[in-house]
Each structure stands twice: as structure tokens, then as C-alpha cells.
Amino acid sequence: QVHLVESGGGLVQAGGSLRLSCAASGSIFSINVMGWYRQAPGTQRELVATVTSSYSTNYADSVKGRFTISGDTIQKTVFLQMNNLKPEDTAVYYCRMSNLRNDYWGQGTQVTVSS
């Protein structure tokens, strides 16, 4: 059974920084993409950033220049460095790891940015 566990969320003032971490346990092989998504109350879950097994990255326009994704598909870990946080970044953040057969999601970690 595969488990993804996120950590690093919390409460921070606008302009501050947080670093989210996600680690997978269990039998998950040949991960080809890892990512972070977020969901604010009353909204749909949205992509924040992804990184592939070849280290290609993709970011939502709203976080470009402020967030940096990194990860290792062999170690099954993915990170999200979030700088210059804004109140609109407040959401539950979820990590996701995918191979050709399955998608795996974590339970989420709350990020709250106060103005």
C-alpha cells in the first residue's frame, strides 16, 4: 500500500516563506511526474507545480517566480519552497505522484497566510 505524507504547512505572515515536503512509502515504481496542488475553500483543486523524472518543471502563473518545486523520483520525495507568500496562497496543499498506471495523493497540509 502506498502512502504519501506531506509536512511543512502552517501559519505565516504575508511575505514569509514555507517549505513543504512530501515523502512516499510503499511500493510505488517508475514515478514519471510529481506535483503539488492546492484547494481553497469553495474552489476546485488546482495545479501549483509539477516536476518530471527528467527534472522538467511547470508552474501555475500565479506562483511563478515565488515557488520552486524540486524532487527525486528515485527517493520518492518532492518539495515546494514557497517565498513571498500572499493571502491568496491560503489553501490545503496536496502532493501527487504518478506513474503510467496510477495516481497517488497525500492527505494534504494546511497553509494559511495572514495579511
Side-chain angles (χ1 to χ4, degrees), residues 52-106:
T52 69
S53 55
S54 59
Y55 303 105
S56 176
T57 58
N58 180 53
Y59 295 92
D61 287 343
S62 59
V63 307
K64 283 180 181 176
R66 300 188 297 122
F67 292 10
T68 302
I69 190 170
S70 60
D72 188 322
T73 56
I74 303 300
Q75 297 295 324
K76 298 180 289 184
T77 55
V78 62
F79 307 95
L80 187 69
Q81 178 66 43
M82 305 185 294
N83 297 329
N84 190 23
L85 282 158
K86 303 177 180 181
E88 52 263 42
D89 295 318
T90 295
V92 178
Y93 283 70
Y94 299 89
C95 71
R96 176 186 182 187
M97 297 187 186
S98 304
N99 56 25
L100 291 179
R101 302 185 69 176
N102 289 294
D103 285 325
Y104 303 94
W105 291 87

Side-chain angles (χ1 to χ4, degrees), residues 16-51:
S17 299
L18 286 173
R19 179 177 170 83
L20 304 183
S21 300
C22 176
S25 61
S27 299
I28 176 172
F29 302 104
S30 302
I31 298 170
N32 55 9
V33 63
M34 302 186 293
W36 288 95
Y37 295 72
R38 67 186 181 187
Q39 187 169 18
T43 69
Q44 290 188 331
R45 192 172 298 187
E46 64 177 4
L47 180 146
V48 176
T50 59
V51 59

